[in-house]
Amino acid sequence: MSNANRYTGLVDRYRDRLPVTATTRAISLGEGNTPLIKLENIPRIIGKDVEIYVKYEGLNPTGSFKDRGMTMAVTKAVEEGSQAIICASTGNTSAAAAAYAARAGIKAFVLIPEGKIAMGKMAQAMMYGAITMQIRGNFDDGMRLVKEVADQAPVTIVNSINPYRLQGQKTAAFEIVEALGQAPDYHALPVGNAGNITAHWMGYSEQAVDPALYASNRAVYQPETHSFSGEAAIAKRPTMLGYQAAGAAPFLRGAPVDHPETVATAIRIGNPQSWNHAHAVMKESGGWFDELQDQEILEAQRLLTMYEGVFVEPASAASVGGVIRDVKNGKIPEGSVIVCTVTGNGLKDPDTAIKQCSDAVMLTIDATMNDVKCSILSNMEK
Ligand code: F0G
């Protein structure tokens, strides 16, 4: 059967712009190629003339943007002969690591903070067959341990300090530029470890140089300095916006936070690994960090679900909540085109979702035509 038109994931799609060769065997689950959904109702509700798009990364194979990075990290780990990968995680990286390791037939070891990861993510690590270590500590403790143990055991780290992770994640920016025809004016992301905001900037930057220069190696992106060497002509890049949960907002405090706490467990991180990169991104793009209270994050999550039909996990809603606030207060001017990365699927964290839906219409009725009919008629006008 001809497979010519079958989408086979982002390593195949962007092979020429990723550190792989023509013969590298991609370990893929068909990640990437996620929808860029234009919000129809929220701009009207807030009464502002802006175009807001959400890049729905929750539709990746394991339900988060981590699959973009993990396909690259595991592809390269396997190519380099590794038999095992390891990560610390707030739940999404571990789900992705477990899935891609299963696909590759290698082992995955994952360290997660005990009692602080969403139920769906827990189910994923277990089902995909990872060896799961719940640590009595937080993500930052896990990250420190992973870095230490990798020197003493034959495991490849697949956290975003693995450079191939960011390479994979930069492809989201490629897809956005392809979909819109150019970069948006603003790009907003929830920030934890700050890998994803760094990866997006890398992607936009590579996209912004003349492809002919880029292809001929005359313009080479330098991830360390976020600049180009060579004769690059830079086209438009967005202003980058990073939103943190107030209880886990080291970029707002200007220093690591010892005891991060937030309902958005995915970004419950006090000591971001890509600290310098993220600051460089803000400086270069003219962007800013801001923080949201847990209540604001949950309100944005609910708004997105009830008025747009897009169900994301709490951390993901931080990007939308931050943008709504900054559009309302005029920091983002009317007429702007804005993309928010919504990083993970709402189904990941059913507990938090159900807890905040005490006002949801949930009727228990007899199994009769009359009861069903009465329920419809009495709720029509609500
Ligand atoms: N949104 C979600 C749903 C996440 O899972 C994460 C990070 C982020 C945003 C923040 O991205 O770290 O690149 O700034 N989750 C990691 C994990 C830490 O272990 O799953 P970042």
Side-chain angles (χ1 to χ4, degrees), residues 79-153:
E79 187 173 62
E80 289 160 10
S82 178
Q83 293 292 321
I85 58 175
I86 189 166
C87 66
S89 183
T90 56
N92 280 327
T93 301
S94 44
Y100 285 81
R103 182 82 167 158
I106 62 174
K107 273 199 171 354
F109 297 94
V110 306
L111 276 72
I112 54 174
E114 185 189 21
K116 293 289 186 181
I117 84 164
M119 201 50 84
K121 302 174 188 178
M122 188 70 143
Q124 288 181 294
M126 293 164 80
M127 280 299 282
Y128 291 128
I131 294 143
T132 306
M133 294 171 241
Q134 298 200 64
I135 58 165
R136 295 184 198 95
N138 60 28
F139 171 85
D140 303 300
D141 297 316
M143 198 61 241
R144 178 175 43 79
L145 290 166
V146 161
K147 286 200 259 184
E148 279 171 26
V149 84
D151 288 337
Q152 300 179 27

Side-chain angles (χ1 to χ4, degrees), residues 64-66 88-94 121 139 159-160 165 169 190-197 266-267 269 313 315-316 343-344:
S64 87
F65 72 95
K66 304 288 180 177
S89 183
T90 56
N92 280 327
T93 301
S94 44
K121 302 174 188 178
F139 171 85
N159 281 103
S160 56
R165 278 277 312 275
Q169 285 170 215
V191 171
N193 242 342
N196 210 22
I197 199 163
I267 50 173
I269 294 174
E313 67 170 289
S316 311
T343 44

Side-chain angles (χ1 to χ4, degrees), residues 363-375:
L363 310 168
T364 305
I365 58 168
D366 287 335
T368 65
M369 169 66 182
N370 196 44
D371 275 21
V372 175
K373 190 170 139 196
C374 285
S375 301

